[in-house]
Amino acid sequence: ADGLQKMLKWIGLDFCFITRKKLRNNQQSIVWDCSLNNYAEYYIASTHEFVSSKTKSEGGISLVNDANKAIPADEFLNFYSVSCLMTFDCSVGNEFEDILVVGGQRGIQKWNSYKLLFSQLATHYKQAKAFKALQQSHESESRYDVLTELLNRRYIVKTIESSIEKNIKSNTRLALLFIDLDRFKVIN
């Protein structure tokens, strides 16, 4: 985070953060924040429906100068007199809306180069989130029976073996209750 803050200062930007909004109840939170101040907290506390909807529909926003004048209804942009703003949609799935927000109070030289840099950051974040979701899905599938949603035999055996090893090492007792259901395969 410290390195990214130094880079923001060097570029002339004031904030860089990712926010997450739960689509079920519109609750917002900060995923990470490398801003030079408490910009992310105020961003969450303010209303910025145009920025959110434009980011979602077009994948992002890029305003080189006078962002606060281009979007006068946005509380955050006006409160901080934000001149340059870029946002990127980092959402994966339909449960959350993740947005990377980058900008500052001054206009920036080489805007397109920095836009490319931060779009790559957003892409990397999105890919990491997608990979993590896929990994969790595979873990869940390897532990649970898809039809019954009960723990599968392989996972139960692995858990029992692990428990036995722990109890041998700690010299404690272990009890196991086995229930056999007749004709369960017919149901399953």
Side-chain angles (χ1 to χ4, degrees), residues 172-188:
T172 58
R173 294 179 185 217
L174 174 70
L176 175 66
L177 175 63
F178 179 77
I179 300 173
D180 186 19
L181 299 176
D182 291 335
R183 293 183 285 286
F184 184 71
K185 285 188 179 184
V186 175
I187 298 169
N188 194 5

Side-chain angles (χ1 to χ4, degrees), residues 1-10 32-36:
D2 198 36
L4 192 53
Q5 283 183 333
K6 287 178 183 176
M7 185 184 77
L8 288 176
K9 255 186 195 174
W10 181 76
W32 64 261
D33 182 10
C34 290
S35 302
L36 306 176

Side-chain angles (χ1 to χ4, degrees), residues 17 136 150 170:
F17 53 84
Q136 288 173 341
L150 296 172
S170 63

Side-chain angles (χ1 to χ4, degrees), residues 92-175:
V92 174
N94 298 326
E95 205 174 326
F96 300 103
E97 180 181 279
D98 291 358
I99 297 177
L100 170 64
V101 183
V102 182
Q105 296 173 331
R106 298 170 299 285
I108 302 296
Q109 300 292 321
K110 299 180 184 178
W111 181 257
N112 289 332
S113 298
Y114 298 129
K115 182 179 169 187
L116 178 62
L117 172 74
F118 286 105
S119 77
Q120 290 300 313
L121 176 65
T123 299
H124 178 73
Y125 173 82
K126 197 171 186 173
Q127 289 172 341
K129 293 290 292 174
F131 179 76
K132 190 172 183 178
L134 183 63
Q135 190 177 28
Q136 288 173 341
S137 171
H138 285 303
E139 282 178 18
S140 177
E141 287 175 9
S142 70
R143 291 182 183 173
Y144 294 93
D145 182 279
V146 179
L147 182 62
T148 63
E149 296 183 7
L150 296 172
L151 291 171
N152 65 25
R153 181 186 192 119
R154 182 180 41 210
Y155 183 74
I156 290 172
V157 169
K158 200 185 282 187
T159 303
I160 291 170
E161 289 172 351
S162 173
S163 296
I164 290 171
E165 286 177 20
K166 284 181 188 175
N167 287 30
I168 289 172
K169 287 179 183 177
S170 63
N171 200 22
T172 58
R173 294 179 185 217
L174 174 70

Side-chain angles (χ1 to χ4, degrees), residues 32-43:
W32 64 261
D33 182 10
C34 290
S35 302
L36 306 176
N37 206 334
N38 62 345
Y39 291 94
E41 291 173 18
Y42 191 75
Y43 183 85

Side-chain angles (χ1 to χ4, degrees), residues 59-74:
I61 294 176
S62 175
L63 299 167
V64 183
N65 289 308
D66 299 326
N68 59 329
K69 293 176 185 167
I71 310 172
D74 192 288

